[in-house]
Amino acid sequence: MTLSVENDNWYYTPEHGELCRVIETQTLWGETVCRVWLPGKDTIMRMLIGCADVLKTLRERTLLRECEEYRESKQKRLKVFRLDAVRAGFKKAWQERDYATIIAVARKIPEKILQEDPKLLMWYDQAVTRMGE
């Protein structure tokens, strides 16, 4: 399995109980490692990519939880949201054929954002088509 850990992104590490920032990734002798900064300990350390798998999974869960909060929000229009969370939520909803969630969240984000993101727009258009709206 190939993991895409992006430099300068933040991940939660349960091993250390805090957020860490990936500074760089390297492959040394066939093993991929990440250099991460732990701000709470003010230290930089190396982590094997297996640990990064956990970090990626936790990040995805966090994004999906945020998107669920957007869907359940009583706000008619969201003023503050993370586009990564919306993308992750749309992707999961699409895989689960939960078109109603895609439509509900899409109607809460600014139209301009939806129109400028090709993937979001594709998922939304297809969801509307499949729901017959």
Side-chain angles (χ1 to χ4, degrees):
M1 176 174 136
T2 304
L3 174 67
S4 173
V5 177
E6 298 175 22
N7 295 345
D8 295 329
N9 279 348
W10 289 89
Y11 299 90
Y12 179 78
T13 170
E15 184 178 335
H16 297 93
E18 69 175 296
L19 288 174
C20 66
R21 187 173 193 166
V22 175
I23 299 169
E24 69 176 329
T25 56
Q26 297 176 332
T27 302
L28 301 170
W29 302 290
E31 286 193 338
T32 303
V33 295
C34 299
R35 277 184 13 144
V36 298
W37 173 53
L38 298 168
K41 295 177 177 64
D42 195 25
T43 187
I44 294 175
M45 60 184 305
R46 292 189 188 279
M47 291 184 173
L48 289 175
I49 202 74
C51 185
D53 282 335
V54 172
L55 298 176
K56 181 181 178 196
T57 300
L58 289 170
R59 181 172 188 272
E60 286 175 5
R61 283 188 201 159
T62 301
L63 293 173
L64 291 173
R65 196 174 315 118
E66 282 182 37
C67 189
E68 183 64 22
E69 289 171 8
Y70 302 156
R71 186 184 68 81
E72 294 174 356
S73 171
K74 301 296 181 199
Q75 292 180 337
K76 193 166 191 157
R77 285 286 187 192
L78 297 171
K79 294 181 177 150
V80 177
F81 62 92
R82 250 198 310 183
L83 196 53
D84 285 350
V86 174
R87 284 186 189 123
F90 276 28
K91 181 179 178 181
K92 181 177 185 250
W94 181 259
Q95 290 169 342
E96 295 176 352
R97 294 185 171 91
D98 182 5
Y99 309 124
T101 292
I102 294 171
I103 294 169
V105 173
R107 290 183 175 159
K108 291 183 178 186
I109 63 175
E111 181 73 21
K112 183 178 179 180
I113 299 294
L114 185 64
Q115 295 295 326
E116 290 178 355
D117 191 304
K119 277 197 173 183
L120 290 183
L121 185 59
M122 182 269 306
W123 282 319
Y124 173 70
D125 286 343
Q126 290 296 316
V128 168
T129 301
R130 297 204 177 180
M131 292 289 289
E133 291 188 18

